[in-house]
Structure formats: structure tokens, C-alpha cells
Amino acid sequence: MTTIQVTLLAAIFSTILGTVAAIGISSMKKRSKTIYLGATNIPLLNADIVTGISMMLLFVKFTNLSFVTVLIAHITFNIPYVILNVLPKIQQANKYTYEAALDLGASPLYAFYKVTWPEIRSGVFSGFLMAVTMSLDDFSITYFTKGPGINTLSTMLYTELRKGIKPELYALSTILFFTVFILLLIINIKNNKKQHRR
């Protein structure tokens, strides 16, 4: 349950923040855009263990480690992945259609929803899925930023494996394998149907 909560909350928040950041970065001048993109790429280039220890030291300075610190850590390292997925879609979109909608009397929010959103929706969705994948997969950052009694699937497996392999771990691995296998089958079948229709 903790894994699902952290994953979904981190993915939702990082998708919102990453999309807003991508829109902001796309409207900057070339020099500012380069600086901000370089800054957002730092979490991608850093080793997970370095990011985890750095965040742990920062959190310990100001607060106690808890569920919230894990969530903040996950949001922080997910945002760059969302930006990398959304930014190319924004750059491909025609900015003049958005300006035309404003000139024709649409509010900025309505113009974004009707003009910009349909063009970047696939990038936002892929960024969300990337954030979900990264949160589920992460061990190092979670291990260093979690408080006592807080365990995600990866940290729980690590703790249990140190004690010895139990039959429950085999069952869990089997469930995870077949879940992923079935999802891949469904996606491939849907893609094949779409190609046949075309």
C-alpha cells in the first residue's frame, strides 16, 4: 500500500509540476533555456545513491524522516523525466494557434485546454508513466529518505532477503512477473488491432 501511495502521489505531483516547468522553459530565451535544462538534468546524471544521501542530509537538517520525505524525494527525481517527455511535444506544437485563440477572446486557461493540451497530452501521459515506473523501481533514494516503519516494496524485499529467502517472496515475484506479462500482452494486442484498422 505504501508503494502504491508513494508511486501514484509522486507521479501525479511530478507530472503537474513537470508539465508547468516544461511550458515555462519552452517560453524562455535560448540562454535561459539551456541553463534551466542543465539544472533539471542534474538528478538524471547523479547516481541514485548520491541523490539519496544528499536528500537524507537535507531532510535530517530540517525535519524527521517520514512518508512525506520519501514522497518529496520521489517527486524531485521524477520531475526531470516528465520535463524530458513533455518539452519536445510543446516545441512541436504551433504557438500561434494558442495566441490566435487568445485574440479571438478565449481565456488563457480555456485556450490551453482546447489548443495546447490536445497537442501535449501524449507527452504528459508518457511522462506520467515514466514517473510511475521510476518510483516503483527506485530503491536507493527511498532507502535513505524513509523513516522508521515506512517500507516500500523494494526496501521490504531488501530487508527480507538479508534475513533469508521466504516462500512469500517467490509468490510475490511470480505475481509481479505475470502482472507485467499480461499488461504487455494487452498493449501489444491493442497496437496490432490499431495497425490492422489503419
Side-chain angles (χ1 to χ4, degrees), residues 82-137:
V82 177
I83 292 172
L84 285 178
N85 280 281
V86 177
L87 195 58
K89 292 291 180 183
I90 293 172
Q91 290 170 343
Q92 288 170 12
N94 188 352
K95 67 177 181 179
Y96 298 112
T97 53
Y98 174 77
E99 291 174 3
L102 294 177
D103 290 339
L104 292 169
S107 66
L109 190 62
Y110 187 79
F112 172 81
Y113 179 71
K114 286 292 184 181
V115 177
T116 309
W117 174 249
E119 294 184 6
I120 67 168
R121 184 171 48 203
S122 60
V124 173
F125 184 65
S126 61
F128 174 80
L129 289 179
M130 182 72 84
V132 167
T133 306
M134 295 306 296
S135 283
L136 279 173
D137 184 53

Side-chain angles (χ1 to χ4, degrees), residues 8-70:
L8 290 179
L9 287 172
I12 290 165
F13 282 116
S14 60
T15 302
I16 294 167
L17 293 171
T19 304
V20 171
I23 292 166
I25 289 169
S26 68
S27 62
M28 291 178 178
K29 292 179 181 178
K30 191 174 181 180
R31 188 177 177 183
S32 299
K33 188 186 289 188
T34 306
I35 292 168
Y36 276 92
L37 279 175
T40 56
N41 286 339
I42 290 171
L44 301 176
L45 300 173
N46 256 354
D48 280 356
I49 193 165
V50 174
T51 306
I53 292 171
S54 302
M55 287 188 167
M56 179 191 70
L57 294 172
L58 179 68
F59 291 142
V60 168
K61 180 83 175 172
F62 297 105
T63 185
N64 295 322
L65 297 178
S66 62
F67 177 86
V68 176
T69 57
V70 175

Side-chain angles (χ1 to χ4, degrees), residues 80-190:
Y81 293 100
V82 177
I83 292 172
L84 285 178
N85 280 281
V86 177
L87 195 58
K89 292 291 180 183
I90 293 172
Q91 290 170 343
Q92 288 170 12
N94 188 352
K95 67 177 181 179
Y96 298 112
T97 53
Y98 174 77
E99 291 174 3
L102 294 177
D103 290 339
L104 292 169
S107 66
L109 190 62
Y110 187 79
F112 172 81
Y113 179 71
K114 286 292 184 181
V115 177
T116 309
W117 174 249
E119 294 184 6
I120 67 168
R121 184 171 48 203
S122 60
V124 173
F125 184 65
S126 61
F128 174 80
L129 289 179
M130 182 72 84
V132 167
T133 306
M134 295 306 296
S135 283
L136 279 173
D137 184 53
D138 181 71
F139 167 74
S140 301
I141 295 172
T142 308
Y143 183 76
F144 286 108
T145 56
K146 73 183 185 73
I150 305 295
N151 262 325
T152 61
L153 192 60
S154 58
T155 56
M156 186 273 289
L157 285 172
Y158 174 74
T159 307
E160 291 297 323
L161 285 171
R162 288 176 65 187
K163 296 175 185 175
I165 298 173
K166 294 181 179 178
E168 289 91 342
L169 297 181
Y170 291 118
L172 181 62
S173 299
T174 306
I175 290 167
L176 289 172
F177 174 80
F178 278 108
T179 303
V180 173
F181 182 70
I182 290 165
L183 285 172
L184 285 172
L185 277 178
I186 292 167
I187 290 166
N188 285 327
I189 290 166
K190 282 187 176 180

